Amino acid sequence: MNPRRRLGIFTLALALLGAGVACSNDAPETKAAEADAGPVTIQIGTADDDPDSPGGIAIMKLVELVRSGSDGNLLLYPVWQASGPESVEWDQKIARMVKEKQLGMGMVPARAWDTEGVSTFRALNAPFLVTSDALADRIVTSSDLATELMSGLEKAGVMGLTLLPESPRHTFGFRHALVRVEDYHLQTIRTPHSLLNEATLRALGGKPVDVTDSTFVQGVQDASMAGVESGFLLARGFPAPSTAAGNVIFNEKVNTLVINPEVYAELSEANRTVLQDSVKALQVWVLANRTTETANAVAFCNLGGKIVTASAADLTALTKAVQPVYADLAKDAKAQSQIERIRTLKQSIQVPAQDLASPCP
């Protein structure tokens, strides 16, 4: 029912944590003393509703890495659907909860931060720029570029730990495919709240909206909602069959893993090292184990979805339509520099077959 998560919502009760406690760390500095005092616990929040979602799988792997690396002295507890079951601005709510220490850590898509005063991810989410997992992987593993992208998070009151690519994003049409610029004209399209994403859809002539799950479902049922911006794997939760253009890729969803600076400072040196090492290992694991675009597209087709291909002329027209967005981005010298660096990386990459979505009837 929800394009960012599955039907069948359930939440994890955190019986070991008191309400509102983001981190507990009263133990001495030594590992042995920490063990005697009991483990340090941190809540990590996400808008995803269960551990089977792409982000949820990554979080559960981090839970395992941290527990193992600390011999149980540092424990992470996921808070699923921390922004609430009927929510708008679900990503931003997670970000604010980490800033306000209602959560110790959080997983927040990079796209969301531009509403929170962070401009350093704008190049990453520029329309039709990052169009493959291979390019996204190269960006997040380029240490200087990744560090620069995360540098703005401090302004939002959080500390960036790592970047985790998830999957390419497309628009899915419920009445017709959103392939040509004309297909977007005055069409209402659900998109997670992001200033840049919304500007992109408006440049194409669409009407972006951030609505609750129930409003989205009602809109699809009464035909007032023409489409949704999402990924193939998340489309299993759509309330009706849809059609996507497999070669129209708006950007790549990249998750940021963040921590409240005070929570991080309260950790012992040993636990900070464990967390840092675990986060590095997590990125390596995610890049090696996440499902491919091809596999996600096949799963989408098997569930009754349809994938079509935009023509070269269609792609050219879409790119031309979003030039006002790039004109605005060019006013930010840092964003413009990052865009040029990403374009250079893109030219050096040969996109593997597993990054491509084939049409299906």
Side-chain angles (χ1 to χ4, degrees):
M1 181 175 295
N2 186 324
R4 63 191 164 88
R5 54 189 184 236
R6 299 177 61 189
L7 287 171
I9 293 172
F10 65 91
T11 57
L12 178 66
L14 303 177
L16 298 178
L17 297 177
V21 178
C23 177
S24 173
N25 186 14
D26 297 324
E29 290 296 307
T30 67
K31 197 169 187 178
E34 285 173 349
D36 291 341
V40 174
T41 58
I42 302 177
Q43 291 176 311
I44 177 169
T46 175
D48 291 331
D49 70 335
D50 64 58
D52 291 332
S53 63
I57 291 170
I59 286 175
M60 293 308 297
K61 181 63 178 180
L62 182 61
V63 169
E64 173 191 329
L65 289 167
V66 168
R67 183 182 66 245
S68 176
S70 68
D71 293 329
N73 291 318
L74 178 61
L75 300 175
L76 304 185
Y77 286 86
V79 182
W80 307 113
Q81 207 176 53
S83 49
E86 273 289 291
S87 178
V88 296
E89 298 189 7
W90 52 83
D91 297 326
Q92 286 78 8
K93 288 180 179 178
I94 303 299
R96 295 163 194 164
M97 291 173 75
V98 175
K99 175 184 178 180
E100 295 165 6
K101 211 176 176 180
Q102 295 172 352
L103 291 167
M105 294 176 62
M107 180 174 282
V108 181
R111 66 189 178 216
W113 290 106
D114 63 2
T115 69
E116 308 305 295
V118 179
S119 62
T120 52
F121 289 117
R122 298 177 77 205
L124 182 64
N125 296 295
F128 312 129
L129 179 59
V130 182
T131 54
S132 69
D133 287 336
L135 178 56
D137 293 357
R138 182 73 66 86
I139 292 169
V140 303
T141 55
S142 299
S143 59
D144 58 337
L145 182 54
T147 298
E148 192 173 301
L149 291 169
M150 288 196 294
S151 64
L153 289 171
E154 182 179 355
K155 185 177 181 180
V158 300
M159 175 181 171
L161 295 173
T162 195
L163 298 174
L164 304 171
E166 185 171 304
S167 65
R169 304 285 288 195
H170 308 263
T171 49
F172 297 77
F174 295 109
R175 298 197 299 270
H176 57 76
L178 300 167
V179 177
R180 304 170 303 158
V181 173
E182 293 80 3
D183 296 330
Y184 288 84
H185 183 63
L186 298 181
Q187 299 298 300
T188 300
I189 300 169
R190 188 191 197 190
T191 184
H193 188 36
S194 162
L195 299 180
L196 188 57
N197 282 12
E198 291 161 1
T200 297
L201 286 170
R202 283 194 295 269
L204 294 172
K207 298 168 61 178
V209 294
D210 171 29
V211 296
T212 64
D213 296 346
S214 59
T215 300
F216 171 62
V217 173
Q218 181 61 44
V220 174
Q221 292 174 344
D222 65 21
S224 63
M225 190 75 63
V228 59
E229 183 261 309
S230 189
F232 284 122
L233 190 59
L234 300 177
R236 60 191 174 183
F238 292 172
S242 61
T243 302
N247 60 339
V248 179
I249 301 171
F250 275 58
N251 50 45
E252 173 107 1
K253 180 180 178 182
V254 176
N255 291 311
T256 66
L257 194 65
V258 298
I259 188 169
N260 178 281
E262 292 182 14
V263 169
Y264 184 78
E266 290 165 1
L267 294 175
S268 67
E269 182 177 352
N271 279 341
R272 285 198 295 268
T273 298
V274 167
L275 183 60
Q276 291 168 350
D277 290 345
S278 297
V279 164
K280 291 177 183 177
L282 175 65
Q283 187 189 73
V284 172
W285 186 88
V286 166
L287 298 188
N289 290 278
R290 77 184 188 280
T291 55
T292 67
E293 175 79 341
T294 297
N296 293 341
V298 169
F300 170 72
C301 293
N302 288 341
L303 290 173
K306 182 178 180 181
I307 300 175
V308 298
T309 300
S311 69
D314 292 333
L315 294 175
T316 297
L318 290 168
T319 301
K320 182 178 180 180
V322 299
Q323 289 313 298
V325 178
Y326 276 96
D328 183 64
L329 287 169
K331 297 174 184 177
D332 181 340
K334 181 174 289 187
Q336 183 61 31
S337 174
Q338 291 170 345
I339 287 171
E340 293 305 324
R341 291 164 67 185
I342 292 172
R343 283 174 173 159
T344 299
L345 283 176
K346 190 172 185 175
Q347 292 173 353
S348 70
I349 292 173
Q350 184 173 355
V351 177
Q354 66 183 15
D355 281 7
L356 304 176
S358 299
C360 64

